[in-house]
Amino acid sequence: MITKQAIAAFYEAFFNQQQLSAAEDLIAEDYRQHNPGVGQGRAGLVAAFQAKFDSEEYFHLEVDRIVLDQDFAAVFLRSVDEQQNTKAHVVDLYRISDNQFVEHWDYFDKKRRK
């Protein structure tokens, strides 16, 4: 059973510590991605973030809240810069099946720079 703690641990390991192998447990091999900037399947997710991590851009996510209800999880988070200033608010929505994320949607609200 997927727990909020497992989701938080995945975000920390995969996105912040850049441990791409963390996707093996929580992300289904045939994961369906609705973000056009990320490829399909677990391999598509890993490839997209490997490219991001290989770039010079600082990348860090702060999870604010996780909502878990039967077959769905919503992760409310912020993308932050080196000074912990919020660059964007993000909501990741996942469909869960067989204790893995099988489908993903997201919403970005980028902060406007003055």
Side-chain angles (χ1 to χ4, degrees):
M1 179 176 190
I2 292 180
T3 65
K4 291 179 183 181
Q5 294 79 9
I7 295 169
F10 166 74
Y11 269 75
E12 180 59 29
F14 185 87
F15 295 110
N16 294 337
Q17 301 301 317
Q18 301 179 10
Q19 297 172 3
L20 299 175
S21 62
E24 293 173 13
D25 291 330
L26 201 57
I27 306 297
E29 189 172 352
D30 60 348
Y31 176 75
R32 185 166 178 205
Q33 176 63 257
H34 293 280
N35 180 328
V38 178
Q40 294 299 312
R42 181 190 307 136
L45 177 71
V46 168
F49 280 91
Q50 181 67 65
K52 180 172 270 308
F53 299 151
D54 287 346
S55 76
E56 296 297 316
E57 179 185 358
Y58 178 82
F59 185 81
H60 187 83
L61 300 178
E62 290 290 332
V63 174
D64 293 322
R65 176 170 292 180
I66 298 170
V67 178
L68 187 56
D69 184 37
Q70 296 179 359
D71 296 339
F72 290 92
V75 181
F76 295 80
L77 55 111
R78 292 171 288 117
S79 175
V80 298
D81 64 18
E82 296 91 335
Q83 291 77 39
Q84 299 299 299
N85 296 311
T86 300
K87 298 189 308 184
H89 292 273
V90 181
V91 179
D92 284 327
L93 178 64
Y94 298 96
R95 185 170 62 83
I96 301 166
S97 180
D98 295 326
N99 292 314
Q100 288 190 310
F101 291 153
V102 296
E103 195 166 7
H104 170 261
W105 300 262
D106 52 24
Y107 170 78
F108 292 87
D109 185 9
K110 292 186 179 181
K111 287 193 78 143
R112 294 187 179 143
R113 305 263 177 194
K114 292 182 181 180

